[in-house]
Amino acid sequence: MNENNNVLIRCHELTKNYKKGNRLVTPLEKLDLEVKRGEFLALMGPSGSGKTTLLNLIAGIDQPSEGVLEVCGEDIGKLSRSKLARWRAAHVGYIFQLYHLVPVLTAFENVELPLLLSNMSRRDRRERVEHTLSLVGLDGRMHHYPKELSGGQEQRVAIARALVASPELLVADEPTGDLDREAADSVLQLLHQLVEEYDKTIVMVTHDPRAAERAGRLLHLEKGRLLETEAG
Amino acid sequence: MMNGLFSKLLRMTVLASKQLIRHRVRTLLTLLGVASGMFLFTTVQTMQRSLDKSTKLQASDTTLVVYRENRFCPETSRLPEFYLDEIARIDGVREVIPVKIAVSNCGASLDVITFRGVPADRLSNYAPEMKLVDGSFEAWRARDDGALVGKELAAKRGLKPGDAFEAVGVRVVVSGIVDSPLPQDNSVAYVHLPFIQQASKHGLGVVTQFNVRVNDGADLDAVSNLIDDRFRSETEPTSTQPEKAFFAQTARELIDLISFTRWIGLGAVLAVLGLIGNAVLLVVRGRVKENAILQTIGFPGVAVAYLVVCEGALLGFGGSLLGVGLASLFLKLRGLSFGNEGQVMALLPDASVLLSGMGLALVLGMVASLVPAWTAMRRPIVESLRS
């Protein structure tokens, strides 16, 4: 595979700005970044440094103001809302800090959500969901509602939901931020396993140095610019 | 491709149903509100529909009512019974029957009993469509104070053959229960003409009206003119009209009252619209983040909008099933009928009213959800996630 094909995310002079009242806010400014396939990248930085903005742009839930943003071979800055939705469904899984499971749906139904708009049959969906829940160690909790699960288990369900459509890229916004140490370790171990055994590419925003240590590469952001690059 | 789209829509509908079923209290309260509105709407529509059936002339109508000219109440319309033979001889007349009406209340009323005195030997020829559902014609013929009671009146009063009941100062015994495709017949009691004449202060030989069946509906105007021309110079001149036009003229109070209820029906529809709109708007506001999550995991905005519209439609349809069902049950069990000047109009819900009620509620649910759906699909994901 040549070098270009091996790059999953490419940002060139990526800028994001928005208006807050009469003020123009620029959380990201002329940022250049490349992330290779199978990489586990951690983004750290103080609040307001642009970490989550970058993550949202990479996940295709926000649009850049300027610059180029190619993810999974697509210039996603130029896609319409509907194309971007289809692109997200096929290429990205998003893991939130607060899990954001649908409270009235069981673990199984939450994980099945991304497959509802696919052309998969009911049986195929069931098999895929069961397999994914077993991958995250929750095969015994399939029919539990989120309120019946611990924080760590809820985050595992959220990871299963992000994984179920087999995306190449997982983005995680402080996935351990709301967990105790034991649950956090277990979730980080799972993310690491996804990179090592399933060739997933992960971009993770974190404040937790212990979480960042698990990543293969660590980037620091400050005032919308990359400061330094470290080996994880 | 259509199959795939249908399958996805079905999955979205199931998802919307789960949201409703698993938020039981909120859903139940909204359904009860919608059901109340649709109950009112169905009742009002049933009144309007029954009124239309009773007053709008159709090509198949062949009945004329001969009344005393310038009289609009059974108490004041008096015609000599001997007009019968004269009317029967007029061209185009198939059958004629003299009717003496005694009514418990001449004004507009929800609880009225109407006796129609008719010659026993003429009834089956005049109204062959009338079927006996209980008792016997022979028992009626054999008994002077016998009555054939319309099924709606019998159900309302809990009457069966052998029972006696009293109204308008007249005591009769039920000989049979009858069912007729003409709604008016089902809400009255047929008794013997001489019996009701003797019970009234006018005595024998005087009737309230003649009911005339013509050979062809197209002859209604011509035959009515011939009848009125025949008696124009008599001391009791007549005014002849198609039965439904006669109803529309004599039951004006009733028609005014029912026409007014149209506004109540419109109010019920607006209330349902507002209720569903408010419920769905609250749902969307409370689910901003959840909708953003769905979009993050790949649901296009239009799928999120579909879910919102689907919830509104399900609330509308579910509430209407409940409201329309309860209204038809209520109207059937209560056997309500309006009476005015001896004319009776039974309130019977028909399939067109029930289906239009359910269809309307479904559309109302969807319309009420359009603005919340648009809001949900257009709101930027990042902004929703931060909320």
Side-chain angles (χ1 to χ4, degrees), chain A residues 2-3 13 16 21-22 35 46 62 75 78 84 134 136-137 158 162 184 232:
Chain A
N2 68 38
E3 191 67 18
E13 298 198 335
K16 174 69 186 176
N22 291 328
V35 181
D62 202 357
D75 186 352
K78 290 180 179 164
L84 203 51
S134 107
V136 299

Side-chain angles (χ1 to χ4, degrees), chain A residues 23-24 46 66 83 85 108 121 124 136 152 171 173 180 186 211 232:
Chain A
R23 203 160 50 94
L24 190 69
E66 286 171 36
K83 282 185 180 163
F108 182 97
S121 70
D124 289 347
V136 299
V171 295
D173 191 2
D180 59 39
S186 159

Side-chain angles (χ1 to χ4, degrees), chain A residues 9 43 101 114 144 152 186 226-227:
Chain A
I9 302 167
L43 289 170
L101 300 176
H144 287 62
S186 159
L226 283 172
L227 283 186

Side-chain angles (χ1 to χ4, degrees), chain A residues 148-213:
Chain A
E148 298 165 341
L149 301 171
S150 68
Q153 287 171 330
E154 279 193 77
Q155 191 59 295
R156 282 169 177 273
V157 174
I159 292 171
R161 182 180 64 189
L163 274 178
V164 75
S166 301
E168 293 164 84
L169 174 65
L170 290 177
V171 295
D173 191 2
E174 307 219 31
T176 58
D178 202 48
L179 300 176
D180 59 39
R181 178 166 288 189
E182 195 182 340
D185 281 345
S186 159
V187 164
L188 289 168
Q189 178 59 37
L190 176 61
L191 294 179
H192 191 73
Q193 184 190 350
L194 292 173
V195 174
E196 293 296 313
E197 294 177 25
Y198 295 91
D199 292 329
K200 300 293 177 194
T201 305
I202 297 181
V203 179
M204 174 178 71
V205 163
T206 185
H207 275 113
D208 179 3
R210 282 168 49 82
E213 275 174 23

Side-chain angles (χ1 to χ4, degrees), chain A residues 18 56 61-62 81-82 85-86 88-89 94 96 100 102-106 109 112-120 125 145 161, chain B residues 4 7-8 11-12 15 18-19 22-23 289-290 292-301 303 377-382 385-386:
Chain A
Y18 58 87
N56 290 342
I61 60 172
D62 202 357
R81 285 173 78 110
S82 58
R86 277 201 293 275
R88 283 195 301 270
Y94 202 120
F96 299 91
H100 290 322
V102 180
V104 294
L105 300 181
T106 62
E109 289 164 340
E112 192 189 20
L113 279 174
L115 304 180
L116 289 181
L117 291 175
S118 72
N119 291 321
M120 291 172 79
R125 290 201 312 274
Y145 287 92
R161 182 180 64 189
Chain B
S7 165
K8 285 173 193 170
R11 286 178 216 157
M12 292 293 104
L15 183 58
K18 283 178 183 168
Q19 288 279 13
R22 294 175 190 176
H23 285 109
K289 205 168 266 184
E290 209 170 284
I293 304 296
L294 291 179
Q295 287 179 279
T296 302
I297 64 176
F299 278 49
M377 76 179 274
R378 297 304 299 176
R379 195 172 166 146
I381 301 174
V382 172
L385 287 173
R386 278 200 210 110

